[in-house]
Amino acid sequence: MQKKPIIVANWKMQLGVTESMQWCMHNKQELAQLTQQATIVICPSFPMALVVGVEAVASGAFIGAQDCCAFEKGAHTGQVAAHMLAQVGCKYCIVGHSERRLFYRESDEEIAYKAIQVLVNGMIPILCVGETKEQLEKQQTFQVLERQLQVLAQKIGHIKEEFALIIAYEPVWAIGSGQTPTVQEIEKIADWILAFCKTTMPSCLAKVLYGGSVDESVAQSLSQIQQLDGLLVGGASLDFQKFKNLVSLFSKLPL
Ligand code: 13P
């Protein structure tokens, strides 16, 4: 049986309340159909999680957050704790997005603590990894991925209970650039990530997503990659029809 893909819509800081609500409400029926074929996770900005959540959940979609605090609670002005996200219905949380690594100087250690907060609060972390253009050109991709994953593995690799972890491979050079790696390159990287997780975190039920300039033009070719469990979509998730088409193409459904 074909597995149900996980398609994550990362709205970044693009849609306000009205637009977020319209995205869900104007497309209610189509969204409900889409959730039959794929696990749809919508990641709006923090203030929208609750309102969008009500609409999205009614259509069978899930709500995720784009980030969370590495600490449980306390004097951390401007931060949002993982347990607060869980309380408003988030089931997933992105951690370590390259924009946060780059613009907010997040370290691998901080990101590992965020992933742990997500897990202990009953949500599934979507941990983003990926190399920059410079690192790609220096052929450092696997070194970078290992560095980005190993802190988390060191902290939770010994855990006996099974836990779910989604790793999103998002090469920084592919985000918003219109460029994507080849199918063979993504296959090789997904294999490496799965093998790394199996060795260093034996209780981890790991899934791999691809993200970076995913749109209708590449969704079908990405669907050939057996090792991929889904996609993390930025710009092409803002317009519902574009998003629907790419989900259908990736899930091999008629448009
Ligand atoms: P784009 O799909 O706009 O390239 O963004 C990718 C991304 O950063 C998703 O998290």
Side-chain angles (χ1 to χ4, degrees):
M1 199 184 79
Q2 203 184 311
K3 57 189 175 182
K4 200 174 175 183
I6 303 169
I7 316 283
V8 183
N10 178 9
W11 286 353
K12 307 194 180 184
M13 201 174 70
Q14 304 285 15
L15 303 184
V17 176
T18 311
E19 298 149 313
S20 302
M21 291 295 287
Q22 278 174 353
W23 193 100
C24 294
M25 291 179 76
H26 289 180
N27 305 296
K28 235 178 201 168
Q29 279 177 350
E30 286 174 289
L31 181 59
Q33 280 166 8
L34 225 50
T35 61
Q36 300 295 310
Q37 312 303 330
T39 299
I40 305 289
V41 182
I42 302 168
C43 300
S45 297
F46 289 135
M48 267 63 85
L50 200 54
V51 277
V52 170
V54 173
E55 292 303 327
V57 170
S59 301
F62 294 93
I63 283 292
Q66 297 175 13
D67 186 33
C68 71
C69 185
F71 298 96
E72 192 187 336
K73 66 181 291 188
H76 297 284
T77 303
Q79 295 277 33
V80 179
H83 68 88
M84 297 169 182
L85 297 169
Q87 278 168 24
V88 295
C90 291
K91 301 288 182 213
Y92 297 81
C93 182
I94 297 172
V95 295
H97 192 280
S98 62
E99 287 150 15
R100 298 217 54 91
R101 292 178 188 268
L102 186 66
F103 304 140
Y104 302 96
R105 302 253 173 268
E106 289 189 6
S107 66
D108 295 315
E109 176 146 55
E110 182 178 4
I111 292 161
Y113 280 119
K114 288 182 181 210
I116 293 168
Q117 280 300 312
V118 174
L119 284 168
V120 298
N121 285 287
M123 298 180 288
I124 300 177
I126 302 170
L127 171 62
C128 299
V129 295
E131 79 284 6
T132 61
K133 187 148 189 70
E134 198 189 342
Q135 290 162 337
L136 173 75
E137 283 165 358
K138 288 186 182 158
Q139 300 186 336
Q140 293 172 337
T141 300
F142 293 104
Q143 255 170 281
V144 171
L145 297 182
E146 183 164 357
R147 176 176 52 71
Q148 290 174 332
L149 288 169
Q150 75 184 1
V151 185
L152 182 66
Q154 280 158 4
K155 293 194 189 307
I156 61 171
H158 62 281
I159 287 175
K160 295 271 181 289
E161 305 86 52
E162 285 188 340
F163 63 94
L165 175 66
I166 296 178
I167 317 263
Y169 171 56
E170 288 208 314
V172 182
W173 53 270
I175 298 176
S177 67
Q179 291 178 286
T180 50
T182 63
V183 163
Q184 291 74 20
E185 283 162 348
I186 298 173
E187 276 172 350
K188 199 170 153 192
I189 284 164
D191 274 337
W192 185 91
I193 292 172
L194 290 169
F196 182 88
C197 291
K198 201 170 170 189
T199 317
T200 60
M201 297 179 272
S203 308
C204 166
L205 304 169
K207 289 184 193 294
V208 179
L209 309 185
Y210 170 76
S213 291
V214 174
D215 62 16
E216 295 157 85
S217 69
V218 291
Q220 205 157 20
S221 61
L222 294 172
S223 74
Q224 298 162 22
I225 306 174
Q226 293 301 316
Q227 296 90 332
L228 279 190
D229 282 284
L231 303 170
L232 175 52
V233 189
S237 70
L238 301 174
D239 178 295
F240 182 82
Q241 287 307 322
K242 280 190 186 156
F243 182 67
K244 184 192 147 192
N245 290 345
L246 84 83
V247 173
S248 304
L249 286 164
F250 189 79
S251 321
K252 302 188 180 76
L253 297 170
L255 290 180

